[in-house]
Amino acid sequence: MKLSLAAEEVATFYGKMLEHEYTTKEVFRHNFFRDWRKEMTAAERKVIKRLSKCDFTEIHRHFADRAAARRALPREEKQRLKEEAEKLQQEFGYCILDGHREKIGNFKTEPPGLFRGRGDHPKMGMLKRRVLPEDVTINCGRDSKVPEPPAGHQWKEVRSDRTVTWLAAWTENVQNATKYVMLNPSSKLKGERDWEKYEVARRLKGVVDEIRSRYRADWKSREMKARQRAVALYFIDKLALRAGNEKEEGESADTVGCCSLRVEHVQLHPEADGCPYVVEFDFLGKDSIRYYNKVPVEKPVYRNLQLFLENKDPGEELFDRLTTASLNKHLQDLMDGLTAKVFRTYNASITLQGQLRALTRADPVFQLKTASPLSCSLTTARTGPLPSSVTISGHLPRPSRSQCRLSGRRLRQRSSRWPRPRQSWRRRGPATHPERTAASWRRGGGGWRSWRSSWCGWAHRPQTRRRASRWPWARPSSTTWTPGSASPGAGGLGCPSRRSTTRRRGRSLPGRWTWRARTSSSDRASLGLIGCVWQLLHY
């Protein structure tokens, strides 16, 4: 059947997602078909009455073939497309902020399509309409050049508001939410806001014990409002619940937070799973993601919840005398800048710190082993991916010679043009290991004299501790640093500055330092857990 342009465009949105899990959900299919019929003509609506009778396989095959053809493009064509995208990025992806060139996070508006949402969102499948220039508000400097709108269009508004950080804004039609074009997370303003957020959490550490003592005392307050506020603050502190915001009726999905919990979202159990005073939570949180949890609570909290639930219907609010605004106002009185959201930042940071302490050993060798990847991870988590010399499996940046001497670890110097010393030991002399007495080294003993005179024997003589520590007889290394090239993990621990050489008959040949951390399987697992926890908290 030949469709009109508007109906065909919406049909392609569904055809692209034909093999996606969303198309199997009844809510998604219902919302799509309802909005699709709105785009049809009267004649099309008479013919198309059921979605189950429609076949979208040809549309899906068409887009699958296009994707395969795009992947099969020659390298030159892919390079050309990449250069075009980079040119577009250079033209529209940067702005001037306080005289500095800053990168823009998302300089493109959202394309039309079907709303997906997260979790079991009741509006999934609805049509997201195309954003036109008439819907967009531009925010720029008074003296800056206003970007030109597409031909035949004009911007909704052009303003110069220095109190906000967004560059453009529009309202999408599904949830009536305002979308923004913001600066990149690496920009100056974003960095300052993140710094302020963590500084407030740092200040909370000094007063959190006092705040906890106060809301524990309020559990026995004569005022019902103080009791509800104290119990809600206990849940926000211990369970990291969001405070929740007030919504208009029918504005969006039925999502709730701590302050907007209803009676139907909470069940009390005198005993469950061998624990007394258990509270069962079951509600839709942010982005319509279900929150289900059974947690044991203290006896005063349990008694107060029983009091809050008395003579209330399932649809009534649990904390009927508490709002998010009043809770935040109370927290502002306790500490300047404190809101309910700061408790989430504080508890996440404290959790990470506790894990680091639990995985840290008192052994100084282990501390040297973990200090380098940890400092590198903390630095690169905000700036980009880890360098090639650092992996979560325990391959760490190479330490300097002085650090190796302090930790008892050794460096190995070798040249690819000459055999390894261990081969010479087994072939030419009776000695099976170089850790012999100094006298046996100096005597030579058969093949030892010829080997020492012909290949770098000076490095093996344990005449001093300094020279002996330069040469390891260790496992082969997967991390190699070539003198004169960029050092892996530069800026971290262990970046040798002197060029190493291998000597033979008075000549100098370029060599290389290779190093590998002698980590056990438990050490590597610990390092992997640290890296994963940190990246999860920051991404």
Side-chain angles (χ1 to χ4, degrees), residues 278-298:
V278 176
V279 180
E280 180 181 354
F281 294 93
D282 190 0
F283 61 90
L284 290 181
K286 184 180 180 181
D287 296 325
S288 296
I289 297 178
R290 184 189 180 193
Y291 180 88
Y292 180 81
N293 196 8
K294 283 185 177 181
V295 291
V297 298
E298 299 183 32

Side-chain angles (χ1 to χ4, degrees), residues 495-508:
C495 299
S497 58
R498 292 189 295 177
R499 183 181 179 88
S500 60
T501 58
T502 302
R503 302 179 182 180
R504 179 179 181 270
R505 296 180 182 178
R507 293 186 297 173
S508 296

